[in-house]
Amino acid sequence: MATGIIAEYNPFHKGHKYHIDKTKKITNDDIVAIISGNFVQRGEPAMTDKHTRTKMALLNGVSMVLELPVEYATGSADVFARGAVGILNSCGIIKQISFGSEKGNTDAFEKTAVLLNNEPGNFKMLIKKHLNTGLSYPLARNKALEDYFGESLDFLNKPNNILALEYIRQIKRLNSNIKPLTIERIVSQYNSTILSGEISSASAIRAAIMDKNDSALNSVPHNCTELLRNNKIPALNDYSHILSYILRTGTPEEISKYADITEGLENRIINCSFKNISDLINSIKTKRYTYTKLQRAILHIILEITKEDQKKEPQYIRILGFRRDKKYLLSELIEKASLPVVTNVKKNEKLLKREITASDIYNILRDNEKGTEYTAPMVIL
């Protein structure tokens, strides 16, 4: 049996290393990480490809790395969690999920998860009341929770805590035997854009690396620094011409089917003139349509990920890499998994069709050939 970690490692840094080491110390388990592929939850291309990030994880205490399919990896917190927890639950070898949060225990998450999984009518009315003030759904839901419980729940405004809540909700939804384990975050805030020494946020490290600030590498394990040097970092703005083509050739009805396109948002997007994607987002964002939500919506248009795609339960378990000395995990996974275990792309083209296309789109910006899903080998250290 093993402990699962849900992550992006975009990029892998010393805070991630701390989380892995702390989890191993508490559980004495092998770590199976499930990570986003070439696109991440903020609605952006990952700064390094998934095989590089898999190697970083395996070099720093992870025994096996699985892939979170792109339709979940680019989704809102509930979609992201449903895909990740669903896959880990289907593995048959995961006894608990360890995640970072600003809380040192799961008690506050547990009672909130129970309510959200069984929303009473008066709670739904509270959400509607706050939505009518123009708030985004996440903020309206948080306000409704505070009204319902009669106490401050400001910890739910932090991204890691939002994900922690969704992980626990999915564990309960699936009636899973997996147990939640939270490791309190240290030093740096999730979205901080300022480097803070040994432990900095992934956001700060990405920003510094893009600014050619080598001090960012002080926050990265030494065995990962060379993997980040001279890395060509793709940006969502680089897909602006692709988006423009899709919007000019598509109808509002066609655009409306994509994930995160809600409440007539397709018309605001199609009718807006823009130079690049950032320009478009800044022109149409409101209190309800946050910058990150709009990034996700636009990425879903580019990748043709629909609302229906995100409603489906996971269909497979894909292994991106493992350590040779942990190969027994592969045998155990194949024996106990309730979903197909994928190690060969060619033999599973139908299952991986969306992932193959997403990687080809990702690699347009990295000057890589088409078909890297077929040619990039599984990472084995």
Side-chain angles (χ1 to χ4, degrees):
M1 299 294 281
T3 291
I5 288 178
I6 302 166
E8 290 187 325
Y9 297 151
N10 185 39
F12 192 97
H13 56 67
K14 289 180 180 177
H16 295 134
K17 173 68 172 167
Y18 169 84
H19 178 211
I20 292 167
D21 291 345
K22 188 79 170 177
T23 300
K24 291 174 76 171
K25 184 176 181 179
I26 292 171
T27 66
N28 199 32
D29 283 344
D30 285 312
I31 302 298
V32 174
I34 179 166
I35 70 169
S36 305
N38 288 330
F39 293 92
V40 296
Q41 204 221 353
R42 291 171 61 87
E44 298 174 328
M47 69 173 296
T48 57
D49 69 88
K50 58 191 173 187
H51 300 289
T52 299
R53 287 163 28 243
T54 294
K55 186 174 182 179
M56 291 177 180
L58 295 176
L59 285 169
N60 287 283
V62 171
S63 299
M64 178 182 287
V65 179
L66 311 178
E67 180 173 31
L68 180 59
V70 66
E71 60 267 35
Y72 306 115
T74 59
S76 55
D78 58 323
V79 173
F80 184 93
R82 186 169 73 249
V85 174
I87 290 172
L88 290 176
N89 187 59
S90 298
C91 288
I93 64 170
I94 305 298
K95 67 181 184 183
Q96 56 196 348
I97 294 175
S98 173
F99 48 84
S101 73
E102 277 75 16
K103 288 270 184 183
N105 62 73
T106 63
D107 294 345
F109 300 117
E110 295 275 355
K111 74 169 185 177
T112 309
V114 170
L115 174 66
L116 292 178
N117 280 2
N118 303 277
E119 292 184 353
N122 54 342
F123 177 68
K124 291 179 181 178
M125 291 298 294
L126 288 170
I127 294 177
K128 186 175 180 180
K129 180 185 81 171
H130 289 295
L131 282 173
N132 287 339
T133 68
L135 292 178
S136 66
Y137 182 82
L139 286 177
R141 190 182 75 171
N142 285 1
K143 291 282 189 183
L145 286 168
E146 291 185 331
D147 291 348
Y148 189 88
F149 287 122
E151 61 182 285
S152 173
L153 297 174
D154 60 347
F155 72 93
L156 288 179
N157 294 323
K158 299 182 184 297
N160 273 295
N161 290 341
I162 293 170
L163 282 170
L165 172 62
E166 294 299 335
Y167 297 151
I168 293 174
R169 285 188 67 191
Q170 294 306 317
I171 289 171
K172 291 183 179 299
R173 180 183 73 87
L174 294 167
N175 197 25
S176 173
N177 291 323
I178 290 175
K179 304 298 181 186
L181 168 67
T182 187
I183 306 295
E184 188 171 1
R185 285 175 59 83
I186 56 172
V187 184
S188 182
Q189 293 297 309
Y190 178 88
N191 277 329
S192 171
T193 57
I194 300 172
L195 292 174
S196 53
E198 289 284 297
I199 306 292
S200 295
S201 73
S203 296
I205 295 169
R206 286 194 300 272
I209 289 175
M210 291 181 76
D211 287 341
K212 311 297 183 185
N213 181 355
D214 282 348
S215 64
L217 299 180
N218 294 331
S219 300
V220 174
H222 181 70
N223 56 18
C224 294
T225 56
E226 288 307 312
L227 296 173
L228 291 173
R229 290 187 195 278
N230 303 316
N231 175 59
K232 185 173 182 179
I233 302 175
L236 189 61
N237 268 342
D238 296 329
Y239 294 115
S240 297
H241 285 92
I242 295 176
L243 177 67
S244 181
Y245 170 79
I246 294 170
L247 296 180
R248 291 183 184 206
T249 57
T251 66
E253 291 74 24
E254 289 169 337
I255 301 302
S256 68
K257 70 182 180 180
Y258 295 121
D260 283 303
I261 303 295
T262 56
E263 303 171 319
L265 181 57
E266 66 275 11
N267 294 313
R268 292 173 66 89
I269 293 174
I270 286 176
N271 293 330
C272 183
S273 298
F274 59 92
K275 296 177 182 178
N276 56 45
I277 290 172
S278 293
D279 182 35
L280 169 62
I281 293 174
N282 284 318
S283 296
I284 64 176
K285 69 182 177 70
T286 63
K287 281 199 298 184
R288 180 165 291 187
Y289 299 133
T290 63
Y291 199 97
T292 301
K293 174 184 168 63
L294 291 172
Q295 278 198 154
R296 282 198 291 263
I298 286 165
L299 181 61
H300 292 146
I301 294 171
I302 293 168
L303 297 179
E304 298 185 322
I305 295 172
T306 68
K307 297 178 178 72
E308 291 304 311
D309 292 329
Q310 292 190 335
K311 290 178 182 177
K312 296 175 183 175
E313 297 293 335
Q315 301 296 303
Y316 61 88
I317 301 166
R318 184 186 182 187
I319 301 174
L320 290 177
F322 61 90
R323 294 192 62 88
R324 292 182 193 277
D325 60 343
K326 304 294 183 178
K327 192 174 181 180
Y328 57 82
L329 281 175
L330 176 58
S331 301
E332 191 176 356
L333 177 63
I334 291 171
E335 177 188 346
K336 296 183 178 180
S338 58
L339 290 175
V341 177
V342 174
T343 59
N344 184 293
V345 175
K346 185 67 176 177
K347 292 179 180 178
N348 295 276
E349 286 178 309
K350 189 173 181 180
L351 279 176
L352 297 176
K353 182 179 179 182
R354 186 173 302 286
E355 217 61 54
I356 292 167
T357 300
S359 289
D360 284 341
I361 292 172
Y362 178 79
N363 282 315
I364 289 172
L365 306 185
R366 293 169 64 87
D367 300 326
N368 288 339
E369 295 292 328
K370 179 181 176 182
T372 56
E373 285 286 1
Y374 297 95
T375 58
M378 187 188 303
V379 181
I380 303 174
L381 298 183

